Amino acid sequence: MGLSVLIVDDDDIAGGLSRDLLKDAGMDAELLTNSLRAIDKLREKRPELVVLDILMPGIDGLSLCHKIKSDPELSSTKVVMVSGKSFEADKQRARQYGADLFIEKPYNIETFATQIAEVAHRPAKAGPVAGGEPVPELKSAPDATLQITVWGCRGPAGPKTPPSSQYGLMTSCLAIETGERKMIFDAGGGIVPLGGQLALAGPQELFLFLTHFHPDHTQGLGAFEGVRSSGYTLHLSGAKEPDKSLQDLVTEAIEASLPAGAGVEANIQLHELMEQTYEVAPGVMLTSFYANHPGTTLGFVLESKGRKVVYCPDSELYGEGATALQDYDDRLARLCQGADLIIHDGRYTAEDYRMTKNSGHSSFISAVHMAGKAGAKRLLLFHADSQYPDEVLDRMGIEAARTSAERGYKLDCAVAREGLKLGI
Ligand SMILES: [Zn+2]
């Protein structure tokens, strides 16, 4: 028999389906519908992996996950949470309690067994999260005036990209709402589901700002509702290249990503940006600046209602090895001074950065130091390499928070995750 899996679900139809899918994939899967018996059953059967539904009478899945991961005898059991509820707070708790994966119901029956097998074969975490250091998460401000949603936050796919990740695998896209205006930053893969959500409210006027035209920042453009569908007016702002106009860059990016048979129906208005401050809506100031990255690449500082957010996803900080002529880290820290939130390139671990110097991306530790020196309140490490398994990202978050505390920075740090909503 293959991998042994226990499914705990009070619904014997849904649970039975999961069991059958896993059995078909050659696993030794068993269903338990009484969650109160789960811990006894786990001790007796010792499965390698347990699938827990969140909403169950008796004892709920989150409490069970917590129990399993804080029990020294059971903590090495992999835990997959499944739920029809997709509240971010539940996902966060699941992660904090050490769950290895969260799958939303209805799940994809084609990939369910593959996802389970992939989690089962991941190396065990360094230690039970409940007993060790929790993976840090950023907290929203109680009096938030800006709402930030991460729709995509990973680097481009590579040969070792895993099939799934709790941090998501879609490329850069971020939404910032000020109350008066919703602004979208970058058009990586994450902009496609964002477009699906926007479409619920019907055609509208949209504001999109592009940092640059590398494919991982534009690959969602052609499939974006705000480009394809009529009735939309899309204000697209970005910088031109020395040898290419903004119009040409946008046309090429759309053509490269337009799904077969689709056309461009929206009214697209282009706005060329330079290193300058713009009032993009009443009282909303946006400063664009050149980031240290190949080609013309912008970073943005958004200021509204006394809050300051910096978005700079592709940016190479030189860190401790900076030479006398490399003053980019200090320049960026000045721009980021006192920010409530910095969303910055944290693509690599310190070791990997040494091998990839001058590629235009940073070690996450350099981002912590830059944000700490800037006196910022929060740092979201963005654009993590898509080939890192979740364990590496967990460790990056923990190490970032530890470094910030050791250096005495008043800076909360976390690694960005798809679906994250943050009030600032
Ligand atoms: Zn880039």
Side-chain angles (χ1 to χ4, degrees):
M1 263 302 179
L3 184 74
S4 88
V5 180
L6 179 70
I7 298 152
V8 186
D9 195 327
D10 61 306
D11 177 344
D12 54 2
I13 297 179
L17 172 67
S18 306
R19 179 197 54 212
D20 295 346
L21 286 169
L22 298 183
K23 277 193 162 177
D24 288 349
M27 297 179 201
D28 169 19
E30 187 181 338
L31 171 66
L32 178 74
T33 50
N34 179 358
S35 62
L36 289 168
R37 286 214 51 240
I39 295 289
D40 286 345
K41 187 77 189 173
L42 280 166
R43 288 195 200 289
E44 173 195 317
K45 183 180 157 94
R46 289 307 183 92
E48 288 151 86
L49 185 145
V50 59
V51 178
L52 302 175
D53 188 34
I54 285 202
L55 274 180
M56 291 186 288
I59 177 165
D60 68 280
L62 284 170
S63 306
L64 261 178
C65 173
H66 189 45
K67 268 198 160 164
I68 295 165
K69 290 294 187 183
S70 49
D71 183 322
E73 227 180 293
L74 300 176
S75 64
S76 61
T77 316
K78 297 284 174 58
V79 175
V80 173
M81 308 292 310
V82 292
S83 179
K85 293 199 304 174
S86 58
F87 296 119
E88 199 45 41
D90 286 342
K91 290 187 195 171
Q92 274 192 23
R93 280 174 67 205
R95 239 183 321 270
Q96 276 162 6
Y97 293 163
D100 297 274
L101 183 68
F102 191 105
I103 301 178
E104 274 178 40
K105 276 184 183 174
Y107 49 74
N108 182 340
I109 59 169
E110 308 281 327
T111 57
F112 182 66
T114 322
Q115 282 180 295
I116 297 291
E118 194 266 324
V119 171
H121 294 123
R122 272 186 211 165
K125 290 192 178 173
V129 175
E133 283 172 274
V135 176
E137 302 276 353
L138 292 186
K139 285 180 210 69
S140 289
D143 54 348
T145 61
L146 299 179
Q147 295 296 329
I148 287 122
T149 309
V150 174
W151 288 90
C153 54
R154 298 297 290 271
K160 284 188 277 176
T161 299
S164 65
S165 162
Q166 293 192 45
Y167 291 85
L169 288 169
M170 279 193 281
T171 47
S172 301
C173 180
L174 186 86
I176 304 183
E177 286 169 77
T178 66
E180 291 81 19
R181 177 139 304 170
K182 180 171 195 149
M183 284 165 281
I184 304 165
F185 292 87
D186 279 334
I191 201 170
V192 181
L194 165 59
Q197 199 211 52
L198 291 170
L200 299 174
Q204 53 197 285
E205 193 174 17
L206 297 173
F207 298 85
L208 170 63
F209 299 86
L210 296 179
T211 53
H212 63 312
F213 286 85
H214 285 164
D216 56 319
H217 292 257
T218 57
Q219 69 191 134
L221 211 48
F224 178 46
E225 203 67 35
V227 165
R228 289 174 53 182
S229 300
S230 62
Y232 286 87
T233 297
L234 177 67
H235 294 276
L236 194 161
S237 306
K240 68 178 183 70
E241 289 283 349
D243 58 347
K244 215 171 252 184
S245 69
L246 183 60
Q247 178 71 62
D248 287 350
L249 286 164
V250 170
T251 305
E252 281 174 19
I254 292 177
E255 277 172 2
S257 57
L258 206 58
V264 178
E265 302 287 343
N267 167 20
I268 302 177
Q269 303 280 334
L270 299 183
H271 305 271
E272 195 180 306
L273 298 176
M274 287 183 287
E275 204 165 39
Q276 207 174 312
T277 298
Y278 302 87
E279 185 165 19
V280 290
V284 182
M285 307 307 287
L286 187 75
T287 302
S288 44
F289 62 89
Y290 296 123
N292 188 31
H293 189 72
T296 308
T297 300
L298 299 174
F300 297 107
V301 180
L302 183 120
E303 289 168 283
S304 165
K305 296 186 178 142
R307 303 297 151 96
K308 180 170 174 178
V309 176
V310 180
Y311 175 64
C312 191
D314 289 42
S315 158
E316 179 165 358
L317 294 164
Y318 294 109
E320 316 223 292
T323 64
L325 290 173
Q326 292 173 328
D327 65 343
Y328 178 69
D329 297 28
D330 293 335
R331 257 189 324 121
L332 191 54
R334 280 197 295 277
L335 275 163
C336 293
Q337 203 62 43
D340 298 276
L341 171 67
I342 299 175
I343 298 154
H344 191 273
D345 189 321
R347 178 157 179 173
Y348 294 119
T349 61
E351 305 78 66
D352 287 349
Y353 173 69
R354 274 178 225 122
M355 325 280 285
T356 55
K357 265 188 186 174
N358 301 317
S359 69
H361 296 283
S362 296
S363 148
F364 75 97
I365 286 290
S366 302
V368 173
H369 292 311
M370 186 279 292
K373 285 175 193 154
K377 294 197 179 90
R378 301 173 189 82
L379 170 66
L380 202 53
L381 295 161
F382 209 77
H383 207 292
D385 197 276
S386 75
Q387 302 188 93
Y388 287 150
D390 287 1
E391 288 73 20
V392 172
L393 274 70
D394 288 350
R395 280 202 301 276
M396 279 162 75
I398 291 169
E399 218 181 303
R402 194 190 301 146
T403 304
S404 172
E406 281 170 5
R407 291 292 183 105
Y409 302 142
K410 303 251 176 305
L411 175 74
D412 291 334
C413 305
V415 175
R417 274 184 297 101
E418 207 170 289
L420 176 73
K421 286 183 174 24
L422 200 61
I424 297 298

